[in-house]
Amino acid sequence: MAKYGLNRVTLIGNLSADPEVRQTEAGVTVTTLRLACTEPLHGRDGREADHTEWLDVVLWRSQAETARDQLRKGATVCIEGRLRSRQWEAPGGAKRSRIEIEATRLLLLESRPAPASAYTLPAVPPTAAPDVPPADEDLPF
């Protein structure tokens, strides 16, 4: 039996809003994207209907800064990353949870309203903690 599994996702969709940017207490930039992934579904009666999944994507450090500067609502992007679950306690004591995509790579496929050329953001090293910037010697380039 395998000790480890595989947690990888690849998504293509459109930003439903401009990126939301914030800083951690340590000064690390974090950007959250709301991604709409729409796919056609075929019913038993042969009719086709669209189904949209609304997903939260989190980018860290230089990827977060590039997303903040380059992406706007409506942009078509390809996201590679992994699923992460998060739990917290809301005001009033209610327990909340959310599944997000922690992006390791982002590719701009199309920009709206003005087309832009495609670019790839550098991948975050998989061993880097989300709230601690990696040392220069840990970067893959």
Side-chain angles (χ1 to χ4, degrees), residues 2-140:
K3 181 176 179 179
Y4 299 103
L6 179 65
N7 180 1
R8 295 284 184 253
V9 295
T10 302
L11 305 164
I12 296 176
N14 296 83
L15 271 61
S16 63
D18 287 344
E20 294 180 19
V21 183
R22 59 183 166 77
Q23 298 283 326
T24 65
E25 290 180 11
V28 177
T29 305
V30 182
T31 299
T32 303
L33 308 175
R34 187 78 167 145
L35 191 66
C37 295
T38 303
E39 61 182 333
L41 295 180
H42 302 281
R44 292 183 184 175
D45 59 1
R47 293 185 186 183
E48 188 176 298
D50 288 342
H51 174 75
T52 302
E53 289 291 336
W54 300 91
L55 305 161
D56 294 312
V57 179
V58 179
L59 299 110
W60 294 91
R61 301 175 191 80
S62 63
Q63 287 189 10
E65 293 166 1
T66 302
R68 170 197 66 203
D69 297 338
Q70 300 292 323
L71 299 179
R72 296 292 172 258
K73 178 180 179 176
T76 303
V77 296
C78 176
I79 302 283
E80 293 178 9
R82 58 188 147 259
L83 295 175
R84 290 288 187 238
S85 57
R86 204 166 48 94
Q87 295 84 33
W88 71 96
E89 193 170 305
K95 297 202 183 266
R96 305 282 185 187
S97 65
R98 170 181 287 175
I99 295 179
E100 301 171 323
I101 291 84
E102 183 180 283
T104 55
R105 192 169 186 192
L106 181 144
L107 177 67
L108 177 60
L109 301 178
E110 176 187 355
S111 179
R112 293 183 188 154
S117 60
Y119 65 90
T120 302
L121 299 177
V124 175
T127 57
D131 57 348
V132 178
D136 286 340
E137 62 269 9
D138 292 338
L139 296 176

